[in-house]
Amino acid sequence: MTAKKMTKKQLAEYEKILLNMRQKAMDDADSIKENSLHDSGNLDSTARDSNYAYHMADVGTDSQEREKSFLWYTRENKFIRHIDEALIRIKDGTFGICKTCEELIPHARLKEVPNTTQCVACKNENH
Ligand SMILES: [Zn+2]
């Protein structure tokens, strides 16, 4: 059985896509971090407000928002790590090969989710 691999040209293409995605994700993560730092400043002044009961609702919403952006930020970091791992797989030539069935992952799927490590069939079986 011959080992399946992507051509160097294909790998170079995906590397470019991944690097672009990584840059965009980093930019997004940065702006979220800035926003949530800014929000926590607002939260303090709201909490100090004399009309405590009235503002409780606002505080709730704010911390929910903050939690949401924190979760999003965490997810974004995870996403960047996945991209890094995909970039490593490009370097060692295993990129685009399903880690479960060891078949090449269809290009349509890789273009959509370049950081994937499984073909659709294997991914669905795991769920
Ligand atoms: Zn598979």
Side-chain angles (χ1 to χ4, degrees):
M1 203 169 151
T2 45
K4 292 190 172 71
K5 262 189 181 181
M6 296 240 165
T7 64
K8 279 208 162 72
K9 193 168 166 265
Q10 286 170 326
L11 287 175
E13 250 173 65
Y14 284 113
E15 185 174 32
K16 218 183 323 178
I17 294 171
L18 283 161
L19 287 172
N20 277 339
M21 283 171 73
R22 193 180 192 283
Q23 187 56 52
K24 201 182 168 298
M26 297 272 277
D27 290 349
D28 285 354
D30 275 352
S31 64
I32 288 165
K33 202 158 77 178
E34 271 166 33
N35 280 344
S36 41
L37 284 177
H38 180 71
D39 282 351
S40 65
N42 282 348
L43 185 63
D44 285 344
S45 58
T46 310
R48 275 198 304 269
D49 207 286
S50 52
N51 199 340
Y52 187 69
Y54 174 76
H55 282 286
M56 274 310 280
D58 284 350
V59 172
T61 313
D62 276 359
S63 60
Q64 244 172 31
E65 279 302 309
R66 243 163 16 119
E67 196 162 317
K68 222 158 57 187
S69 58
F70 176 74
L71 283 177
W72 206 84
Y73 181 66
T74 311
R75 205 158 53 213
E76 198 75 351
N77 271 333
K78 211 169 142 194
F79 181 60
I80 290 168
R81 215 164 53 224
H82 281 158
I83 293 176
D84 284 341
E85 284 166 8
L87 285 166
I88 291 169
R89 289 197 299 276
I90 282 182
K91 291 266 180 289
D92 66 21
T94 59
F95 176 83
I97 299 160
C98 174
K99 67 173 182 185
T100 309
C101 67
E102 294 179 356
E103 293 290 323
L104 280 176
I105 300 169
H107 287 294
R109 172 156 169 80
L110 282 173
K111 288 233 160 76
E112 214 172 299
V113 207
N115 54 314
T116 190
T117 54
Q118 282 180 306
C119 67
V120 179
C122 291
K123 178 115 189 154
N124 286 343
E125 259 176 50
N126 279 354
H127 277 283

